[in-house]
Amino acid sequence: MAFRCQRDSYAREFTTTVVSCHPAELQTEGSNGKKEVLSGFQVVLEDTLLFPEGGGQPDDRGTINDIPVLRVTRRGEQADHFTQTPLDPGSQVLVQVDWERRFDHMQQHSGQHLITAVTDHLFKLKTTSWELGRFRSVIELDSPSVTAEQVAAIEQSVNEKIRDRLPVNVQELSLDDPEVEQVRGRGLPDDHAGPIRVVTIKGIDSNMCCGTHVSNLSDLQVIKMLGTEKGKKNKTNLIFLAGNRVLKWMGRSHGTEKALTALLKCGAEDHVEAVKKLQNSTKLLQKNRLSRFGLLDLAVHIAHSLRNSPDWGGVVVLHRKEGDSEFMNIIANEIGSEEILLFLTVGDEKGAGLFLLAGPPAAVETLGPRVAEVLEGKGAGKKGRFQGKATKMSRRPEAQALLQDYISTQSTKE
């Protein structure tokens, strides 16, 4: 039989009689994501205004005598209503539907019928299944790919038909009615009994369906295609919104756009470019950070290698293309000896760079300015360190010779 919700999808309340009420349990998902089992009652009514899930459409929510109905399921020709309060069999009750949820489901379901018919008509793409989700709906198409141009054409066509205000009619046909052969459908449930319910969009589509639908395409308001996603087994998922969901989506999108405008300090048309620049800057910072950490570890390793070298003593020299002042100072700190002259340079071997001279304070104070002069640079120093910039790193051998001569002279004096 067809329930009251199927005979009149726009009805919001009606009175009926309780047929039975038995203890039952309902498995639900709690706020923490874990499964919970609720104790309650399975209520059967003579007729119902609350749609039991089926045909890809979730069940309704509502009340029976102001008692919340937490789940509605179909069992043969009857609907089971789960409540946590018992109801007396034989009593008259007022059934009220959560209209916002119901009308949303009507818009999405009728929207799916329209999109399915138009997609088949325009591109011979068959619908294999669909899902009415909480925030968006998905139509699975029997094709490994659907182009952006095809999606745009589908969106334009369905919205033209909405503006044409085409009526949507529901009729019941017997199984042996010849018209059944002309009706689109994916088969009937194993426990189906009675006539077949057919939903027809005038001049567009006739389809077997048990769900609740609008009576005119104008009630869909608008349909927005959100694009496609790769489906399973060479299928493509077509994502869409219909009716009030489009308005809510636009509201959220506008709110996000305003927030991004304030954060990025630019108009909406420049948001993408601004985010790309931020991403590039972040990647560069991360790269430099990783590179810097690598150099710092290397500095410690080099310092230990120099101290353990058989050539340790006198003048110790090192040059690297990559590095900075901190890199050289870490080496000097790790070595920490005033017994030798440490001459470190980083940069282009034939161009500009940085230098550091470390050693006995008196020697560094004397030699530092002379090394800077040889390298045609400038610098400053204190407490056994002299460092600066050089413009002629190609003259490093001359600076090294200067330091060697100093050490040799000091050895002769001793």
Side-chain angles (χ1 to χ4, degrees), residues 115-135:
I115 295 168
T116 288
V118 167
T119 302
D120 189 4
H121 174 73
L122 290 180
F123 304 110
K124 305 301 180 187
L125 297 173
K126 304 294 184 182
T127 293
T128 50
S129 68
W130 88 290
E131 177 188 6
L132 198 168
R134 285 185 61 194
F135 302 107

Side-chain angles (χ1 to χ4, degrees), residues 12-81:
R12 304 192 187 194
E13 64 178 46
F14 92 130
T15 301
T16 188
T17 303
V18 177
V19 173
S20 63
C21 179
H22 301 288
E25 291 184 337
L26 176 66
Q27 190 176 73
T28 64
E29 187 172 297
S31 56
N32 58 1
K34 294 183 177 180
K35 297 292 183 181
E36 294 182 358
V37 177
L38 300 179
S39 296
F41 302 87
Q42 206 72 279
V43 178
V44 177
L45 307 174
E46 274 189 359
D47 199 353
T48 186
L49 196 64
L50 305 183
F51 177 74
E53 60 183 344
Q57 179 178 326
D59 56 336
D60 282 337
R61 292 290 180 270
T63 60
I64 303 175
N65 278 1
D66 294 327
I67 297 169
V69 177
L70 305 183
R71 184 69 53 81
V72 189
T73 55
R74 188 178 67 87
R75 181 159 52 91
E77 294 188 9
Q78 67 184 35
D80 292 334
H81 307 73

